[in-house]
Amino acid sequence: TTVLTVVIARYLPYIGLIISSVFFYIVMPILLYFYLYKKGLITDEKFDFNIRKREERPLYLFLIALGFITNFILISMYNIPQVKEVTLFFSLAFLVFAIVTIFWKISGHMTQTVITILILAYVFADIRIYILLAGYLICVPLVGYSRIKLKHHNIWQVIAGTLVTTAIGILVFTII
Protein backbone atom coordinates (compact mmCIF):
# COMPACT_ATOMS: atom_id res chain seq x y z
CA THR A 1 0.00 0.00 0.00
CA THR A 2 2.95 2.31 0.49
CA VAL A 3 3.95 2.16 -3.18
CA LEU A 4 0.37 2.74 -4.29
CA THR A 5 0.00 5.68 -1.91
CA VAL A 6 3.10 7.28 -3.42
CA VAL A 7 1.78 6.65 -6.93
CA ILE A 8 -1.60 8.28 -6.31
CA ALA A 9 -0.17 11.09 -4.15
CA ARG A 10 1.43 12.66 -7.22
CA TYR A 11 -2.07 13.23 -8.63
CA LEU A 12 -3.51 14.73 -5.45
CA PRO A 13 -3.60 18.54 -5.58
CA TYR A 14 -4.36 19.02 -1.88
CA ILE A 15 -2.09 18.22 1.05
CA GLY A 16 -5.11 17.11 3.09
CA LEU A 17 -5.87 14.33 0.59
CA ILE A 18 -2.24 13.22 0.64
CA ILE A 19 -2.32 13.10 4.44
CA SER A 20 -5.61 11.17 4.46
CA SER A 21 -4.19 8.68 1.95
CA VAL A 22 -1.03 8.17 4.02
CA PHE A 23 -3.15 7.72 7.13
CA PHE A 24 -5.75 5.32 5.72
CA TYR A 25 -3.42 3.27 3.49
CA ILE A 26 -0.25 3.11 5.59
CA VAL A 27 -0.59 4.31 9.20
CA MET A 28 -4.04 2.96 10.09
CA PRO A 29 -3.35 -0.64 8.96
CA ILE A 30 -0.15 -0.74 11.03
CA LEU A 31 -1.72 0.80 14.13
CA LEU A 32 -4.77 -1.43 13.82
CA TYR A 33 -2.60 -4.54 13.55
CA PHE A 34 -0.66 -3.54 16.69
CA TYR A 35 -3.88 -2.77 18.56
CA LEU A 36 -5.57 -6.07 17.64
CA TYR A 37 -2.37 -7.97 18.42
CA LYS A 38 -2.11 -6.29 21.84
CA LYS A 39 -5.77 -7.13 22.56
CA GLY A 40 -5.14 -10.78 21.66
CA LEU A 41 -7.42 -10.71 18.60
CA ILE A 42 -4.44 -11.49 16.36
CA THR A 43 -2.31 -14.31 17.74
CA ASP A 44 0.43 -14.80 15.15
CA GLU A 45 3.63 -15.58 16.98
CA LYS A 46 5.92 -14.29 14.24
CA PHE A 47 4.54 -10.73 14.45
CA ASP A 48 5.15 -10.18 10.73
CA PHE A 49 1.85 -8.54 9.73
CA ASN A 50 0.52 -11.79 8.31
CA ILE A 51 -2.74 -12.95 9.84
CA ARG A 52 -2.59 -16.66 9.14
CA LYS A 53 -5.72 -17.76 11.00
CA ARG A 54 -8.74 -17.12 8.78
CA GLU A 55 -11.04 -16.50 11.73
CA GLU A 56 -8.79 -13.64 12.92
CA ARG A 57 -8.79 -11.87 9.56
CA PRO A 58 -12.33 -10.47 9.06
CA LEU A 59 -12.31 -7.84 11.83
CA TYR A 60 -8.98 -6.43 10.68
CA LEU A 61 -9.93 -6.56 6.99
CA PHE A 62 -13.34 -4.92 7.45
CA LEU A 63 -11.83 -2.09 9.48
CA ILE A 64 -9.14 -1.61 6.82
CA ALA A 65 -11.78 -1.66 4.07
CA LEU A 66 -13.79 0.92 6.03
CA GLY A 67 -10.72 3.17 6.11
CA PHE A 68 -10.13 2.67 2.39
CA ILE A 69 -13.78 3.49 1.65
CA THR A 70 -13.54 6.61 3.82
CA ASN A 71 -10.53 7.78 1.83
CA PHE A 72 -12.36 7.00 -1.43
CA ILE A 73 -15.26 9.20 -0.29
CA LEU A 74 -12.88 12.03 0.62
CA ILE A 75 -11.16 11.82 -2.77
CA SER A 76 -14.49 11.52 -4.59
CA MET A 77 -15.57 14.83 -3.11
CA TYR A 78 -12.85 16.48 -5.20
CA ASN A 79 -13.59 14.38 -8.32
CA ILE A 80 -9.99 13.68 -9.31
CA PRO A 81 -10.61 11.25 -12.19
CA GLN A 82 -7.71 8.80 -12.19
CA VAL A 83 -7.32 8.78 -8.41
CA LYS A 84 -11.04 8.24 -7.92
CA GLU A 85 -10.96 5.00 -9.95
CA VAL A 86 -7.81 3.77 -8.22
CA THR A 87 -9.21 4.36 -4.74
CA LEU A 88 -12.53 2.76 -5.72
CA PHE A 89 -10.68 -0.34 -6.94
CA PHE A 90 -8.56 -0.44 -3.80
CA SER A 91 -11.66 -0.15 -1.60
CA LEU A 92 -13.75 -2.74 -3.47
CA ALA A 93 -10.90 -5.25 -3.70
CA PHE A 94 -10.29 -5.13 0.05
CA LEU A 95 -13.99 -5.23 0.84
CA VAL A 96 -14.53 -8.32 -1.33
CA PHE A 97 -11.38 -9.88 0.16
CA ALA A 98 -12.83 -9.29 3.65
CA ILE A 99 -16.20 -10.78 2.70
CA VAL A 100 -14.68 -13.88 1.09
CA THR A 101 -12.43 -14.36 4.12
CA ILE A 102 -15.47 -14.82 6.35
CA PHE A 103 -16.22 -18.08 4.53
CA TRP A 104 -12.91 -19.19 3.04
CA LYS A 105 -9.23 -18.37 3.33
CA ILE A 106 -8.14 -16.50 0.21
CA SER A 107 -4.60 -15.26 -0.44
CA GLY A 108 -4.14 -11.66 0.63
CA HIS A 109 -0.67 -11.64 -0.90
CA MET A 110 -2.17 -12.45 -4.29
CA THR A 111 -4.89 -9.85 -3.78
CA GLN A 112 -2.30 -7.18 -2.97
CA THR A 113 -0.02 -8.27 -5.84
CA VAL A 114 -2.81 -8.01 -8.41
CA ILE A 115 -4.00 -4.70 -6.94
CA THR A 116 -0.50 -3.30 -7.39
CA ILE A 117 -0.13 -4.62 -10.94
CA LEU A 118 -3.50 -3.31 -12.10
CA ILE A 119 -3.14 0.11 -10.47
CA LEU A 120 0.34 0.59 -11.91
CA ALA A 121 -0.93 -0.49 -15.34
CA TYR A 122 -3.86 1.92 -15.06
CA VAL A 123 -1.79 4.88 -13.92
CA PHE A 124 1.11 4.32 -16.33
CA ALA A 125 -0.94 3.77 -19.48
CA ASP A 126 2.00 4.31 -21.86
CA ILE A 127 3.77 1.18 -20.52
CA ARG A 128 0.63 -0.69 -19.48
CA ILE A 129 1.31 -3.80 -21.55
CA TYR A 130 4.78 -4.23 -20.05
CA ILE A 131 3.47 -3.84 -16.51
CA LEU A 132 0.71 -6.37 -17.15
CA LEU A 133 3.06 -8.87 -18.81
CA ALA A 134 5.73 -8.58 -16.12
CA GLY A 135 3.11 -8.63 -13.38
CA TYR A 136 1.08 -11.60 -14.55
CA LEU A 137 3.93 -13.63 -16.03
CA ILE A 138 6.56 -13.02 -13.35
CA CYS A 139 5.15 -11.51 -10.13
CA VAL A 140 1.91 -13.48 -9.87
CA PRO A 141 3.55 -16.89 -10.36
CA LEU A 142 6.41 -16.09 -7.98
CA VAL A 143 4.19 -14.75 -5.21
CA GLY A 144 1.71 -17.59 -5.72
CA TYR A 145 4.47 -20.18 -5.61
CA SER A 146 5.87 -18.66 -2.41
CA ARG A 147 2.47 -18.82 -0.68
CA ILE A 148 2.08 -22.48 -1.63
CA LYS A 149 5.70 -23.40 -0.87
CA LEU A 150 5.46 -21.82 2.60
CA LYS A 151 2.21 -23.78 3.12
CA HIS A 152 0.23 -20.63 3.88
CA HIS A 153 -2.21 -21.32 1.05
CA ASN A 154 -3.18 -24.02 -1.40
CA ILE A 155 -3.36 -23.55 -5.16
CA TRP A 156 -7.08 -22.73 -5.11
CA GLN A 157 -6.68 -19.95 -2.55
CA VAL A 158 -3.89 -18.43 -4.64
CA ILE A 159 -5.89 -18.68 -7.86
CA ALA A 160 -8.97 -17.22 -6.14
CA GLY A 161 -6.99 -14.23 -4.85
CA THR A 162 -5.70 -13.60 -8.36
CA LEU A 163 -8.96 -14.07 -10.26
CA VAL A 164 -11.27 -12.25 -7.85
CA THR A 165 -9.03 -9.20 -7.72
CA THR A 166 -8.49 -9.23 -11.49
CA ALA A 167 -12.26 -9.35 -12.05
CA ILE A 168 -12.81 -6.39 -9.73
CA GLY A 169 -10.06 -4.49 -11.52
CA ILE A 170 -11.62 -5.16 -14.92
CA LEU A 171 -15.00 -4.06 -13.56
CA VAL A 172 -13.70 -0.80 -12.09
CA PHE A 173 -11.21 0.19 -14.79
CA THR A 174 -13.24 -0.75 -17.88
CA ILE A 175 -16.93 -0.78 -17.01
CA ILE A 176 -17.44 1.81 -14.28
Side-chain angles (χ1 to χ4, degrees):
T1 57
T2 303
V3 171
L4 299 176
T5 303
V6 170
V7 168
I8 66 169
R10 68 181 239 202
Y11 295 101
L12 296 172
Y14 307 108
I15 189 71
L17 292 177
I18 294 171
I19 291 169
S20 76
S21 295
V22 168
F23 176 75
F24 286 115
Y25 296 146
I26 300 170
V27 176
M28 188 183 114
I30 293 169
L31 293 177
L32 183 59
Y33 182 90
F34 283 130
Y35 177 77
L36 294 175
Y37 185 82
K38 184 177 177 183
K39 290 293 185 183
L41 298 170
I42 296 174
T43 59
D44 281 336
E45 295 173 8
K46 293 185 180 182
F47 201 67
D48 58 1
F49 292 96
N50 286 318
I51 304 173
R52 289 172 184 82
K53 296 179 183 170
R54 185 192 56 79
E55 59 276 359
E56 294 178 358
R57 288 178 164 194
L59 176 61
Y60 177 77
L61 293 174
F62 277 109
L63 291 173
I64 295 300
L66 182 63
F68 290 0
I69 291 166
T70 302
N71 200 55
F72 166 69
I73 291 167
L74 291 171
I75 287 174
S76 293
M77 291 168 54
Y78 292 92
N79 201 22
I80 305 164
Q82 203 168 24
V83 178
K84 188 175 171 183
E85 286 84 8
V86 166
T87 56
L88 175 62
F89 172 51
F90 215 21
S91 301
L92 287 177
F94 264 87
L95 183 60
V96 170
F97 175 55
I99 291 168
V100 170
T101 299
I102 292 171
F103 307 103
W104 191 55
K105 188 175 179 188
I106 187 172
S107 176
H109 281 78
M110 295 311 301
T111 299
Q112 190 67 27
T113 300
V114 172
I115 286 171
T116 304
I117 292 165
L118 293 180
I119 289 175
L120 290 174
Y122 181 71
V123 170
F124 300 108
D126 51 332
I127 57 170
R128 176 176 296 147
I129 190 69
Y130 302 111
I131 293 170
L132 291 172
L133 286 172
Y136 279 97
L137 296 178
I138 297 170
C139 295
V140 166
L142 287 176
V143 172
Y145 177 74
S146 75
R147 305 319 297 156
I148 295 166
K149 180 75 174 167
L150 292 170
K151 297 185 181 357
H152 292 275
H153 292 285
N154 63 42
I155 186 74
W156 301 112
Q157 294 164 338
V158 167
I159 290 171
T162 304
L163 293 179
V164 167
T165 310
T166 300
I168 295 167
I170 291 168
L171 175 76
V172 171
F173 294 135
T174 61
I175 298 172
I176 295 179

